[in-house]
Amino acid sequence: MKSNFPTESTIRQYLLGQLDSQATLESSLSQQMLFDDELSETVDLIEEELIEDYLDNTLSAEDRKAAEEYFLRPPERREKLLLARRLRNHFDTKPATLAKKTLGDPHKPGSKATDGVTDPVLLAGGHSHFRTWCELGMMVLILAGFLYFLHVRNNLQSQLATIQKNETRLANELTQEREHSAGLTKQLQEVRPPVVALTFFHSVFRDNGGTPIEIKPWTERIKVTIDLPGSSSRTFDVRLQSQSGQELWTNAGIEGSAGNLSFDMPAQKISATGKYCLAVSSRPEPYCFHARVIRN
């Protein structure tokens, strides 16, 4: 027997639900039953022994209570118990009936002893005896098929439970990985922010080049804010132009509010270090700035 094979006592406690205080052992035994055919067959035999002990009333009071409250709760075990009880009743009644048919009743008038004389009653009893054993053989075959079906169904149910447990574990691991990935993305954005700010204040002369902005490889957008005090327009058209006057990007109908104009501009439109200007509709002069582009 394998060194890690559980004892019969442990298996009986497992079947009677008496390992609740040893959750690790109970889980390990359940997993082992799925992949060890020898253990699975042993469990089936002990399961049948428990049913026989229950019918013989040889279980202790504690084990009998556990059998009724835990072991016999599954429908397939109740079916086994019912079938075993019916077989017992059949075997208990057949011998007496068979003896009467074979030997006759010696207390009845006309009964003859079987002293070598061929008696029609004896012959009839022999045929009945043969038929009885045929019936018993069929019942054994049916019982064996039924027990095999229960064994296969139990294995499938256990495998399904294991698959569902693994799916739940994988789903939890996937959720944890997503949360971890979101945390790493947030940390990366803090170290490498995808947005840079470009602000033009009314009090600062707007064509002095301003504070240079840096366009790094991970920069995706430029957050532009322009101070427009006293402006009567509510919507503005904006054009990004290179120092040579080439139009690089446009956005029409941008809503302004409270003397401010805010919008996002794609950083990819600025491809080289140099001076760039934003032309805003209804404003007489452009808003220029210096961009430093870093590619590596």
Side-chain angles (χ1 to χ4, degrees), residues 199-251:
T199 304
F200 295 94
F201 295 101
H202 179 68
S203 58
V204 180
F205 182 60
R206 60 190 176 199
D207 199 20
N208 63 356
T211 301
I213 63 171
E214 288 186 343
I215 308 297
K216 298 181 179 180
W218 53 82
T219 305
E220 299 175 0
R221 295 176 288 117
I222 302 173
K223 183 70 175 179
V224 181
T225 302
I226 301 176
D227 187 17
L228 299 176
S231 176
S232 59
S233 177
R234 300 296 298 174
T235 60
F236 301 87
D237 298 336
V238 179
R239 300 191 309 277
L240 173 66
Q241 299 174 338
S242 65
Q243 188 172 2
S244 62
Q246 180 185 2
E247 188 173 288
L248 304 176
W249 174 80
T250 61
N251 195 344

Side-chain angles (χ1 to χ4, degrees), residues 142 150 245:
I142 294 173
L150 292 178

Side-chain angles (χ1 to χ4, degrees), residues 88-115:
R88 285 188 171 213
N89 293 338
H90 181 81
F91 291 142
D92 289 341
T93 56
K94 278 295 182 180
T97 303
L98 184 59
K100 289 182 178 180
K101 289 183 178 181
T102 305
L103 301 177
D105 190 348
H107 300 290
K108 287 185 178 181
S111 295
K112 297 181 179 180
T114 56
D115 55 353

Side-chain angles (χ1 to χ4, degrees), residues 52-183:
E52 294 295 329
D53 292 343
Y54 179 84
L55 290 174
D56 291 336
N57 200 24
T58 58
L59 294 174
S60 65
E62 180 183 359
D63 288 350
R64 187 172 185 85
K65 181 179 180 183
E68 293 174 348
E69 296 180 355
Y70 181 85
F71 175 73
L72 293 175
R73 289 181 62 185
E76 58 271 20
R77 288 177 183 163
R78 292 201 298 269
E79 292 171 358
K80 286 184 179 181
L81 175 65
L82 180 61
L83 187 57
R85 182 178 284 123
R86 287 177 177 174
L87 283 174
R88 285 188 171 213
N89 293 338
H90 181 81
F91 291 142
D92 289 341
T93 56
K94 278 295 182 180
T97 303
L98 184 59
K100 289 182 178 180
K101 289 183 178 181
T102 305
L103 301 177
D105 190 348
H107 300 290
K108 287 185 178 181
S111 295
K112 297 181 179 180
T114 56
D115 55 353
V117 181
T118 302
D119 193 334
V121 175
L122 180 61
L123 293 176
H127 289 296
S128 177
H129 183 257
F130 176 78
R131 184 178 62 186
T132 299
W133 282 109
C134 288
E135 292 174 354
L136 290 177
M138 289 298 296
M139 292 185 65
V140 169
L141 290 176
I142 294 173
L143 176 61
F146 179 73
L147 293 178
Y148 178 77
F149 167 77
L150 292 178
H151 173 69
V152 172
R153 188 176 70 173
N154 290 340
N155 283 344
L156 291 177
Q157 290 176 342
S158 299
Q159 292 175 8
L160 179 60
T162 302
I163 292 173
Q164 291 174 343
K165 185 183 297 184
N166 290 337
E167 289 178 348
T168 301
R169 177 177 56 81
L170 291 175
N172 293 334
E173 292 177 355
L174 179 59
T175 300
Q176 294 175 358
E177 287 296 329
R178 286 175 176 172
E179 292 175 353
H180 180 64
S181 177

Side-chain angles (χ1 to χ4, degrees), residues 247-279:
E247 188 173 288
L248 304 176
W249 174 80
T250 61
N251 195 344
I254 302 176
E255 293 285 341
S257 62
N260 286 311
L261 181 63
S262 296
F263 57 90
D264 287 349
M265 182 171 60
Q268 293 81 2
K269 297 299 180 180
I270 300 177
S271 58
T273 299
K275 181 180 178 181
Y276 295 85
C277 294
L278 290 169

Side-chain angles (χ1 to χ4, degrees), residues 22-74:
Q22 305 179 58
T24 302
L25 176 59
E26 184 177 19
S27 177
S28 174
L29 186 55
S30 298
Q31 292 289 333
Q32 191 176 356
M33 287 171 55
L34 294 176
F35 305 103
D36 193 330
D37 293 337
E38 182 181 353
L39 175 59
S40 181
E41 292 174 1
T42 302
V43 171
D44 289 341
L45 290 175
I46 296 176
E47 183 178 275
E48 294 173 6
E49 289 177 3
L50 281 173
I51 292 176
E52 294 295 329
D53 292 343
Y54 179 84
L55 290 174
D56 291 336
N57 200 24
T58 58
L59 294 174
S60 65
E62 180 183 359
D63 288 350
R64 187 172 185 85
K65 181 179 180 183
E68 293 174 348
E69 296 180 355
Y70 181 85
F71 175 73
L72 293 175
R73 289 181 62 185

